[in-house]
Amino acid sequence: MKPSKHDTRYKVRVAGTELAVLHKLTWMMCDAFGLDRKIDAYKGTRPITLYSWDLDCLDAVLCSALRDPARHDIASDSELNALKRLDVRLRELRQREARS
């Protein structure tokens, strides 16, 4: 899918434990217009550009992982907390943009 000039871009920087957990979950994004490859290649040094459909996919993936962390290989409390923080950050980003 190719974004148009009217699509909203979201710039997000994900690093550290949040990025490590997100890399563990990329297998769940295989049908998401290349989002899995984009996140696999992402190193966390600069913000990553995401679009609304990327955030929709990430929301579904994070919700699934938060419902059953053991199934998704989220073993430690620090990984679970990082996953929760990332989920909150992405939701706040969408809400802030929706209000504008």
Side-chain angles (χ1 to χ4, degrees):
M1 174 175 250
K2 193 166 188 154
S4 77
K5 64 181 179 180
H6 302 292
D7 288 326
T8 304
R9 295 177 181 185
Y10 300 91
K11 299 269 186 181
V12 181
R13 184 166 183 267
V14 182
T17 310
E18 290 178 353
L19 183 58
V21 172
L22 195 57
H23 278 159
K24 281 185 176 182
L25 300 174
T26 56
W27 65 271
M28 296 175 66
M29 305 172 204
C30 62
D31 293 330
F33 306 111
L35 182 60
D36 56 340
R37 289 186 307 276
K38 188 176 191 177
I39 290 179
D40 258 344
Y42 181 61
K43 303 297 180 207
T45 55
R46 295 181 185 176
I48 188 171
T49 301
L50 301 171
Y51 294 93
S52 60
W53 55 86
D54 294 328
L55 292 179
D56 291 341
C57 178
L58 286 174
D59 182 46
V61 167
L62 294 176
C63 284
S64 176
L66 286 170
R67 258 187 260 119
D68 191 4
R71 180 174 169 239
H72 298 289
D73 198 28
I74 309 297
S76 69
D77 287 338
S78 64
E79 288 180 334
L80 185 60
N81 290 333
L83 194 62
K84 289 177 183 177
R85 282 192 313 270
L86 181 59
D87 185 50
V88 167
R89 284 180 45 216
L90 293 178
R91 287 180 189 275
E92 287 174 353
L93 181 68
R94 294 283 303 266
Q95 289 174 355
R96 197 173 359 163
E97 190 63 36
R99 285 182 283 199
S100 304

